[in-house]
Amino acid sequence: MSIATRADLATEAAPPADTAGRIRRAVLAVYAGLFYVVLYLPILLLLVLSFNESQTIGLPMKGATLRWYGEVFGSQKMLASIANSVMLGIASALIATVLALMLAMGFRQDFPFKGLLMKIILLPILIPGIVGGIIYLIFFGYAEIPFGVWTTALPVHVTWVLPFAFLTLFPRLHGFDRSIEEAAADLGARPFTAFRRIVFPVIKPGVVATVMFAFTLSFDEFIRTLFSIGSQRTVPVHLWSLLSDQMAPFLPAVGVVIMVISMLVSLAGFAASARADRPRR
């Protein structure tokens, strides 16, 4: 068989380019569809079950009702846990963002053991939650610090969200044009004045986004909180206690409330982050 004949046969056997492209697009479409189903179907199911009039959690639907949302917002324990989560999240986010901003400013300079210190700051991310919770439990127990939202849970949450806040702020400050600050210093501006009037207005959207992100991390934190909060409750810990005691029919409504709060804060953070990136693009 000649070389030309073999080439012709290979060409006839090979599928057309448009056919291969259609197959590739079909496979990608199926993959994307399965991905979104697995990702969003449980959320949709949770939303549907939160309106189910049935006394048991599950399908089929026995009617639509807002009763379970009324029980969620009518429960004093649930309202107290929501208040604890919100206040703890706000305090943790603000403290961690301020500390992260100070660290990011300091890391713009060269100093001994800079790399080691950065690894120490990021260490809480690498420690598993249950291990960190046991460490905090033992530490606070030996230190005889009373367990509670503000005595033990707050420092635990600050320690947890600080590395994420630092990783969010450090790239913005590291890429900041320092010649602007040097020009302000040449004109007689003190370092704090240059930061307040030049640096901070530029990075302010990024700082706001960091606060929102840190709040979301604190609001959703469960394992470390469980070991450090004592008899008080945040929303995730209270939800876990409800799951341990009984499968209350209003649990899907609680999940929807938590999801809505987290989504609203996250969207606000994404909007602020996009605003911060717009001048750079």
Side-chain angles (χ1 to χ4, degrees):
M1 184 181 293
S2 64
I3 297 177
T5 305
R6 292 178 182 177
D8 293 338
L9 292 175
T11 303
E12 293 176 0
D18 56 345
T19 303
R22 284 197 297 268
I23 294 175
R24 189 183 304 110
R25 287 192 293 270
V27 172
L28 290 176
V30 171
Y31 171 78
L34 291 175
F35 175 82
Y36 285 114
V37 166
V38 173
L39 185 64
Y40 291 110
L41 185 60
I43 298 176
L44 180 61
L45 181 61
L46 180 70
L47 181 63
V48 171
L49 292 177
S50 68
F51 296 101
N52 191 1
E53 197 173 3
S54 175
Q55 293 287 335
T56 59
I57 301 176
L59 297 173
M61 293 283 292
K62 293 186 177 181
T65 181
L66 294 174
R67 171 187 172 185
W68 310 127
Y69 287 95
E71 290 197 14
V72 170
F73 293 105
S75 171
Q76 294 298 323
K77 291 183 178 179
M78 178 58 66
L79 292 178
S81 65
I82 292 175
N84 286 337
S85 289
V86 171
M87 292 187 295
L88 182 60
I90 293 174
S92 302
L94 292 176
I95 295 173
T97 302
V98 171
L99 294 176
L101 182 58
M102 295 171 63
L103 287 169
M105 290 291 295
F107 270 89
R108 299 169 75 192
Q109 311 294 333
D110 291 326
F111 55 86
F113 306 109
K114 178 179 177 179
L116 177 61
L117 182 58
M118 182 173 289
K119 290 181 176 61
I120 293 175
I121 294 173
L122 303 180
L123 186 61
I125 299 178
L126 305 177
I127 299 177
I130 190 169
V131 175
I134 294 173
I135 292 173
Y136 293 129
L137 178 65
I138 296 174
F139 172 77
F140 291 130
Y142 274 108
E144 298 183 354
I145 299 175
F147 289 87
V149 172
W150 305 113
T151 53
T152 53
L154 178 60
V156 168
H157 278 226
V158 171
T159 306
W160 165 239
V161 303
L162 176 60
F164 296 96
F166 175 77
L167 289 175
T168 306
L169 286 175
F170 177 72
R172 302 188 183 280
L173 283 168
H174 184 71
F176 189 84
D177 188 1
R178 303 195 63 178
S179 62
I180 303 177
E181 297 176 80
E182 295 172 357
D186 292 338
L187 294 174
R190 296 175 179 272
F192 180 75
T193 303
F195 172 79
R196 180 174 58 87
R197 302 190 64 177
I198 298 175
V199 179
F200 187 75
V202 175
I203 66 171
K204 182 179 177 180
V207 173
V208 174
T210 302
V211 172
M212 298 295 184
F213 180 49
F215 173 85
T216 304
L217 289 174
S218 175
F219 186 84
D220 295 334
E221 173 54 33
F222 166 65
I223 296 181
R224 297 168 183 82
T225 310
L226 180 65
F227 283 93
S228 62
I229 200 170
S231 61
Q232 294 180 292
R233 293 290 182 265
T234 59
V235 173
V237 175
H238 184 60
L239 183 60
W240 176 81
S241 65
L242 292 175
L243 288 171
S244 301
D245 297 337
Q246 57 177 340
M247 289 294 290
F250 58 83
L251 288 180
V254 177
V256 172
V257 171
I258 297 174
M259 182 176 61
V260 168
I261 295 176
S262 299
M263 287 178 60
L264 290 176
V265 175
S266 298
L267 289 175
F270 289 145
S273 180
R275 181 183 173 189
D277 291 336
R278 193 176 302 128
R280 299 172 62 183
R281 291 196 296 264

